[in-house]
């Protein structure tokens, strides 16, 4: 036998269908020996050997340690020719033990090679380490080598094949078990005699919420829902009779007692005699299908009975189906529109772009929603709220369109009525204030863009109240309707008119090149307003006052400010005599705005307690003693410092804040008087009272209420000074109020006497007990004979009318001496003291005397 023949036989290939890919790899033989000669001999023996299409690869190691490295690098070595004695006597066997126990490699074939004559491994060694044989180095012939290798290689090949087949069986079983347990369907094996479950897959346990151990070994009927139990038993009996059951719909019961819809299929497992031993049950979960069927039934009901119209079309928009509501709303029967396009309903109110945008939304977003006007079969136009949704197929392409719509014509008409009510005057049909504001804002933007002017005219009827009072509101309303028609008739195209309440109208003139271009229209409005109007045989005559302002202006201004400007100008036209127009004065408006801001700040200061009282002593000029003080208001402004009365009192003239300040002064003065009294200082105090407060009918009641808080004060010690130049509207009423106050113990003085227009009338009519000579006469009386004569005259009048008298503005001792010689003993002025805080009055009072005794 040649080497080639022997080795070809050794590696004779098996049938191709049994080949594994590993069989076509080179056969690896590891030579492990610490003698180079042995290596050379073995390698020489294998040098001419070739396998049948399978080369032989020789690996070498000169020690057990080196062999371990080779084995770790090559896990597909088929045969080891291993020297027993190398590093030690047992190194070869230790390597074998390492291969079997540590590497867990049982397939590799091992032949021991030894140089010891007569060596033969013991049987327990061969058995324990699974050694395939041994060779003596001294007897290494080709024949023995071939025989040993042939036997070992065939053993290795068969071992590897068995291992592969075992792994394939395990894999096949694992795949089967995996498919069985993880199948989407539920599999159960049931004993035909006992109806106990003998096996089930994991899907059953997962679907029903049990563990497999809770199912296997228990009766199959316990898994059925109570409503399906009877049907399950009948199905089982039919199975026993027929041997199989298919497509029976039943319900299983989950652990939480909820039902699970299933489709049952059963087949039989028979013994050799044909007797049924087991039944194989397959439950298919059909709950999704059942729900879908339920949803479809519900959808069908909704489709049929919905109050909204429904249209189903194909991808091209051709109608496939409609419901009853469609016919009720459109007037078309279902059969009339099948296969047609919904464009048959178009009303013509929407342009081409409207429908282009609709289709763009459907293609991009898959839906469109909005209001649309369509036409019924009878030609009637109606409004509908329409929603269209695209239905896509699994590939993402559009398959159908579903349109859902409802008739909103009534709502649209109601909305239109509400919008009319919201924007138009119910009586005249003119625009109301809301619509006017919108139109005015739009007009302002347009005029700026066009570089033109617009005029805002605020128009108020003169004498309309008298028409209502005389003829009644019905006639007044009819008159307003006629007047509004007359006003509208003289306006140009593009101009606007609105009624904003009562007998007030606003006209907006657009596209004016200059302000004077508004004059012809203003004149015509005046003319038509004063034209005679006949209402139910009553000939009525009125007129109108117009206020006019223009836009744009030098400063930024909004629509509301324009209306206020025109209103203020109209008010000025009323004051100027009515039946005319007045242009808005920006400077006058700015002055008024400044006053309003000042009034607001004064009111804030009063609320924040920023006002204080200073006191100026009144002196008996004959002996220099203090006989009283005058309370003078000051404003301790947080930003501007201490402000004198002239800085703020003119602003509150003829305003209710003036009366509030007067009331505060009285209250503060009484509080200070009470504090001084507690300190042992009883000092009379005079305060100024403005005309607004004094002319209030309840002035006496106000004084009584404020004094009620100070029961220990003498009312005569508070003197109320009235400016003789004050604008008292009705002197008779004021005189009565003062007399009433006198009867209740309050004293009055006429301040700044001699500066008013009717001093003698005031002196005669107003029962004031004291006259105060104005400081303008006192200041120049030493150099101006006229002022000296006036002072003498006032003193004479005081004597004639039996009034006390005091001079203001006494600045020098010469003034004081002269006044005493003239018969005026009392005075106040800088020569004695400037107005000082309340805390300084106690100090001044301690001086006892303000100057040398003055003698006539």
């Amino acid at each position: 036998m040649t080497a080639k023949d022997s080795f070809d036989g050794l590696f004779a290939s098996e049938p191709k269908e049994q080949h594994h890919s590993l069989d076509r790899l080179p056969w690896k033989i590891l030579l492990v020996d610490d003698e180079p000669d042995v290596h050379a001999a073995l390698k020489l023996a294998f040098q001419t050997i070739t396998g049948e299409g399978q080369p032989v690869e020789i690996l070498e190691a000169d020690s057990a340690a080196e062999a371990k490295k080779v084995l770790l690098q090559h896990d597909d070595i088929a045969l080891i020719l291993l020297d027993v004695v190398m590093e030690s006597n047992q190194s070869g066997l230790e390597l074998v033990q390492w291969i079997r126990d540590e590497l867990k490699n049982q397939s590799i074939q091992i032949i021991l090679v030894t140089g010891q004559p007569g060596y033969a491994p013991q049987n327990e060694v061969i058995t324990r380490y699974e050694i395939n044989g041994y060779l003596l180095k001294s007897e290494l012939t080709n024949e023995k080598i071939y025989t040993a290798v042939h036997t070992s290689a065939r053993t290795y090949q068969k071992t590897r094949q068995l291992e592969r087949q075992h792994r394939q069986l395990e894999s096949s079983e694992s795949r089967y078990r995996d498919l069985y347990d993880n199948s989407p369907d539920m599999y159960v094996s049931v004993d035909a005699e006992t109806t106990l479950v003998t096996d089930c897959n994991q899907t059953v346990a997962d679907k029903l919420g049990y563990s497999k151990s809770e199912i296997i070994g228990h009766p199959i009927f316990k898994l059925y829902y109570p409503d399906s139990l009877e049907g399950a038993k009948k199905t089982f009996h039919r199975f026993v009779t027929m041997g199989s059951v298919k497509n029976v719909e039943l319900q299983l019961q989950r652990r939480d007692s909820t039902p699970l819809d299933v489709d049952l299929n059963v087949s039989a497992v028979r013994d050799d005699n044909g007797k049924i031993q087991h039944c194989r049950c397959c439950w298919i979960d059909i709950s999704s299908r059942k729900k879908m069927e339920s949803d479809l039934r519900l959808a069908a009901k909704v489709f049929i009975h919905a109050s909204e119209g429904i249209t189903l079309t194909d991808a091209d928009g051709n109608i496939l189906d409609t419901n009853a509501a469609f016919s009720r709303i459109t007037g078309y029967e279902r059969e009339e529109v099948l296969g047609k396009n919904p464009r048959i309903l178009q009303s013509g109110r929407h342009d081409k772009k409207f429908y282009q945008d609709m289709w763009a939304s459907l293609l991009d977003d898959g839906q469109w929603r909005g209001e649309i006007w369509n036409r019924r079969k009878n030609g009637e136009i109606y409004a509908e709220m329409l929603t269209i949704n695209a239905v896509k197929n699994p590939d993402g392409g559009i398959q159908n369109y579903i349109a859902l719509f409802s008739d909103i014509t009534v709502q649209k008409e109601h909305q239109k009525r509400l919008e009319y009510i919201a924007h138009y005057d119910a009586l005249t049909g003119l625009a109301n204030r809301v619509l006017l504001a919108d139109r005015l804002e739009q007009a302002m933007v347009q005029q700026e863009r066009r570089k033109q002017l617009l005029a805002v005219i605020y128009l108020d009827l003169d004498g309309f109240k008298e028409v209502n009072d005389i003829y009644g509101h019905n006639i007044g309303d009819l008159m307003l309707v006629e007047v509004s028609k007359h006003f509208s008739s003289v306006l140009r195209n593009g101009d606007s008119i609105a009624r904003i309440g009562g007998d007030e109208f606003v006209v907006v003139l657009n596209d004016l090149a200059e302000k004077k271009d508004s004059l012809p229209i203003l004149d015509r409005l005046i003319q038509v307003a004063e034209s005679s109007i006949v209402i139910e045989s009553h000939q009525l005559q009125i007129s109108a006052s117009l206020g006019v302002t223009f836009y744009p202006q030098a400063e930024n201004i909004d629509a509301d400010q324009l209306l206020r400007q025109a209103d203020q100008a109209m008010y000025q036209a009323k004051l100027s005599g009515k039946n005319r127009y007045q242009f808005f004065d920006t400077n006058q408006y700015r002055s008024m705005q400044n006053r309003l801001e000042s009034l607001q700040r004064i009111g804030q200061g009063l609320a924040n307690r920023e006002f204080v009282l200073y006191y100026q002593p009144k002196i008996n000029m004959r002996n220099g003693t203090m006989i009283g003080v005058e309370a003078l208001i000051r404003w301790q402004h947080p930003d501007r410092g201490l402000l004198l009365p002239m800085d703020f009192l003119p602003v509150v003239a003829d305003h209710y804040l003036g009366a509030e300040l007067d009331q505060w002064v009285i209250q503060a003065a009484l509080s200070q008087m009470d504090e001084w009294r507690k300190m042992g200082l009883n000092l009379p105090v005079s305060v100024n009272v403005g005309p607004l407060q004094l002319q209030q009918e309840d002035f006496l009641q106000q004084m009584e209420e404020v004094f009620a808080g100070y029961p220990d004060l003498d009312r005569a010690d508070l003197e109320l000074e009235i400016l003789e130049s004050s604008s008292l509207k009705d002197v008779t009423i004021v005189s009565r109020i003062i007399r009433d106050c006198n009867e209740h113990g309050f004293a009055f003085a006429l301040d700044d006497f001699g500066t008013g227009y009717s001093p003698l009338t005031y002196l005669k009519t107003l029962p004031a007990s004291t006259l105060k000579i104005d400081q303008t006469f006192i200041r120049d009386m030493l150099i101006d004979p006229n002022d000296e004569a006036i002072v003498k005259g006032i003193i004479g009048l005081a004597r004639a009318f039996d009034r006390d008298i005091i001079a203001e503005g006494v600045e020098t001792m010469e003034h004081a001496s002269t006044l005493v010689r003239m018969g005026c003993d009392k005075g106040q002025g800088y020569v004695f003291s400037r107005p000082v805080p309340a805390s300084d009055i106690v100090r001044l009072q301690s001086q006892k005397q303000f100057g040398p005794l003055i003698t006539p």
Side-chain angles (χ1 to χ4, degrees), residues 667 700-710:
Q667 179 69 49
L700 175 58
Q701 181 181 348
Q702 294 178 26
M703 294 303 298
E704 291 281 3
E705 289 175 356
V706 74
F707 255 93
Y710 304 97

Side-chain angles (χ1 to χ4, degrees), residues 579-593:
N579 194 28
R580 66 191 65 205
Y581 52 81
Q582 180 77 37
F583 292 101
F584 175 74
D585 188 331
T586 303
N587 293 330
Q588 184 182 28
Y589 174 74
R590 188 175 294 110
S591 175
M592 185 186 70
Q593 284 293 101

Side-chain angles (χ1 to χ4, degrees), residues 39 61-62 70 284 309 486 505 514 652 692 732 818:
H39 280 261
D62 57 5
V70 176
I284 300 173
H486 292 176
F505 300 82
E514 299 179 89
V652 298
L692 282 181
T732 303
T818 302

Side-chain angles (χ1 to χ4, degrees), residues 35 43 46 85 114 124 194 212 226 274 373 409 412 585 615-616 621 628 630 659 665 718 764 783:
E35 296 181 17
K43 288 174 66 177
F46 289 110
V85 180
T114 179
E124 63 267 19
T194 64
K212 292 176 67 173
W373 290 92
T409 308
K412 295 294 288 185
D585 188 331
Y615 298 88
Q616 186 174 36
M621 294 184 292
E630 179 180 4
V665 169
L718 181 70
K764 174 184 176 183
I783 58 175

Side-chain angles (χ1 to χ4, degrees), residues 11 20-28 52-57 75-76 78 156 160:
F11 292 102
H20 191 272
S21 59
L22 292 177
D23 295 331
R24 293 191 294 272
L25 297 176
W27 291 96
K28 293 181 181 180
E52 187 177 318
Q54 298 174 234
V56 175
E57 181 179 352
D75 61 354
D76 55 348
Y156 173 77
R160 291 297 297 268

Side-chain angles (χ1 to χ4, degrees), residues 793-855:
I794 293 174
I795 295 172
L797 286 172
R799 289 175 180 171
F801 284 88
D802 193 22
R803 307 291 172 85
D804 197 5
I805 192 165
I806 183 172
E808 294 181 303
V810 181
E811 297 183 356
T812 66
M813 293 305 295
E814 186 176 0
H815 283 96
S817 299
T818 302
L819 286 167
V820 171
R821 285 195 297 271
M822 289 181 179
C824 178
D825 296 339
K826 300 174 183 177
Q828 62 185 94
Y830 287 176
V831 68
F832 305 117
S833 174
R834 291 175 175 271
V836 295
S839 58
D840 289 347
I841 291 299
V842 177
R843 176 181 56 80
L844 292 174
Q845 177 66 10
S846 65
Q847 293 182 203
K848 302 298 184 183
Q849 190 168 331
F850 281 79
L853 186 65
I854 299 173
T855 57

Side-chain angles (χ1 to χ4, degrees), residues 163-401:
E163 288 178 349
R164 285 198 298 270
Q165 291 171 359
H166 181 68
R167 286 195 297 271
Q168 289 171 354
L169 287 173
E170 286 183 341
S171 176
S172 177
E173 183 180 355
S174 176
R175 286 196 302 272
Y176 168 76
R177 174 53 63 178
D178 182 67
L179 290 172
Y180 179 75
D181 272 342
N182 298 305
S183 169
D185 298 329
M186 297 175 279
Y187 294 110
V188 178
S189 295
V190 181
D191 187 293
E193 292 281 344
T194 64
T195 71
L196 298 179
V197 177
T198 59
D199 194 14
C200 71
N201 66 351
Q202 187 61 40
T203 306
V204 175
D206 294 341
K207 289 274 188 179
L208 299 183
Y210 296 102
S211 65
K212 292 176 67 173
S213 62
E214 292 176 301
I215 298 174
I216 297 173
H218 294 82
I220 185 66
F221 295 117
K222 286 190 175 181
L223 298 179
Y224 283 98
Y225 196 69
D227 292 347
S228 288
L229 185 56
E230 188 64 28
K233 290 180 178 179
K234 290 180 179 180
T235 301
F236 184 80
H237 291 312
R238 187 171 55 172
F239 159 76
V240 172
T241 303
M242 301 177 62
S244 67
V245 174
K246 292 185 178 181
N247 304 120
V248 177
E249 293 187 5
L250 297 168
Q251 286 183 319
L252 300 178
Q253 180 166 280
R254 298 184 181 96
R255 190 185 198 101
D256 61 5
S257 299
T258 58
L260 175 67
D261 291 300
V262 295
D263 182 83
L264 172 63
N265 293 271
V266 188
S267 61
V269 177
R270 302 176 184 270
D271 60 15
D272 295 338
N273 299 321
K275 181 181 178 181
I276 298 176
Q277 290 184 314
H278 288 84
C279 56
R280 294 193 182 113
C281 301
C282 175
W283 289 319
I284 300 173
D285 184 352
I286 60 171
S287 55
S288 297
R289 191 196 79 194
K290 298 291 283 186
K291 183 178 185 304
M292 186 181 299
E293 292 173 354
S294 176
D295 291 344
L296 288 174
R297 288 192 297 271
L298 179 60
K301 290 181 180 178
V302 171
F303 184 83
I304 296 171
H305 301 292
S307 59
E308 292 82 5
I310 301 175
T311 307
L312 176 65
T313 75
D314 60 19
D316 296 325
N318 300 313
I319 297 175
L320 300 176
D321 202 0
T322 64
N323 67 345
F326 173 92
S327 300
R328 175 174 51 79
I329 295 173
T330 66
Y332 287 96
E333 294 299 327
R334 176 176 177 274
E335 293 72 16
E336 295 180 272
V337 297
L338 291 181
K340 296 183 179 179
N341 193 283
R343 69 172 62 95
I344 63 173
L345 301 173
Q346 288 182 6
S347 64
R349 286 197 179 187
H350 303 288
D351 57 17
K352 184 178 181 180
K353 186 177 183 305
F354 176 85
Y355 293 102
Q356 287 175 342
D357 291 342
M358 175 191 291
W359 279 104
S361 178
L362 282 171
L363 295 175
D364 294 340
D365 304 328
Q367 64 176 357
W368 182 88
R369 177 178 173 81
E371 295 181 1
I372 188 171
W373 290 92
N374 275 338
R375 187 186 303 274
R376 306 187 208 275
K377 182 179 179 180
N378 61 7
E380 179 185 349
I381 303 295
Y382 70 98
E384 67 179 45
M385 176 59 70
L386 173 63
T387 300
I388 306 176
N389 286 286
V391 180
K392 297 184 178 181
N393 57 32
D395 297 329
I398 294 178
Q399 178 175 312
N400 300 98
Y401 292 103

